[in-house]
Amino acid sequence: MTKRVAILISGGGSNMMSLVHAMEGDGFNASPVLVLANNADAGGIAKAHAKGIATEVVDHRPFNGDRAAFEAVLQGTIVKYQPDIICLAGFMRVLTAGFIDQWQGKMLNIHPSLLPKYTGLHTHQRAIDAGDTKAGCSVHVVTAKLDDGPLLDQAEVPVLPDDTAATLAARVLVEEHKLYPAALRAFVKNAR
Ligand code: GAR
């Protein structure tokens, strides 16, 4: 059975598009049924719309920090599309255990560091500041602890002497676009 995938984004959605392109390929057995953003400005919404994928925006701002209320609307919006799997792809809201428990073992995330190093924000600058010689990205199953949960796969890149956070981020992003589709493909295969 083809798995139904919802992709949650906050920004440009380049990882979302890499997942969408990959799912168009032969033998993936998954299809994108929803791209949802937490702000209407997310560039990925227009890209998904242009691909003919259903889109939704659930803006977190009117909820004034009431995460439970935001997540209740988020959940209500997502379930309408009956996804089997949720992919967080640059979704920059911290989700509570109450939401995550509803998708236990079914929600994946890509994070721009070699987890368990550098959970949270500013991962590339932190790797540079620490003098690391390698950086990278990780795909993991989402659990209640931020950027934690079973690792599915990682990709490494070198940190070069002249790197800034921006140059390192660009090098890591190239790997993200390969890693996430490959990890999702394997996840879908194992879920059958
Ligand atoms: C990606 O680098 C992703 O790994 C990161 O946000 C970027 C989104 O880019 N995610 C996180 O930092 C989550 N903690 P994109 O919108 O072009 O895919």
Side-chain angles (χ1 to χ4, degrees), residues 9-17 47 89-92 109-113 120-121 123-124 137 146-147 169 172-173 176-177:
I9 64 169
S10 296
S14 69
N15 275 291
M16 175 275 293
M17 287 302 287
K47 293 177 195 164
F91 187 69
M92 303 306 280
N109 180 43
I110 187 156
H111 184 73
S113 78
L121 299 174
T123 55
H124 307 298
C137 48
L146 181 70
D147 299 329
V172 171
L173 194 61
E176 292 185 43
H177 294 162

Side-chain angles (χ1 to χ4, degrees), residues 146-157:
L146 181 70
D147 299 329
D148 200 74
L151 278 175
L152 295 178
D153 210 351
Q154 293 185 311
E156 284 182 17
V157 301

Side-chain angles (χ1 to χ4, degrees), residues 93 125 161:
R93 299 302 298 169
Q125 191 60 54

Side-chain angles (χ1 to χ4, degrees), residues 62-149:
F63 295 94
N64 288 320
D66 184 345
R67 288 187 191 275
F70 166 66
E71 290 176 352
V73 177
L74 189 63
Q75 177 72 356
T77 306
I78 293 170
V79 294
K80 283 193 283 179
Y81 295 85
Q82 301 184 314
D84 302 300
I85 298 169
I86 296 181
C87 288
L88 305 180
F91 187 69
M92 303 306 280
R93 299 302 298 169
V94 172
L95 295 166
T96 71
F99 180 83
I100 292 166
D101 284 352
Q102 300 172 107
W103 297 101
Q104 202 179 11
K106 297 177 178 176
M107 184 156 54
L108 312 185
N109 180 43
I110 187 156
H111 184 73
S113 78
L114 295 172
L115 291 172
K117 277 192 162 185
Y118 314 130
T119 62
L121 299 174
H122 311 300
T123 55
H124 307 298
Q125 191 60 54
R126 287 157 70 199
I128 291 168
D129 291 347
D132 292 354
T133 55
K134 60 183 187 184
C137 48
S138 308
V139 175
H140 66 97
V141 180
V142 176
T143 57
K145 204 167 153 202
L146 181 70
D147 299 329
D148 200 74

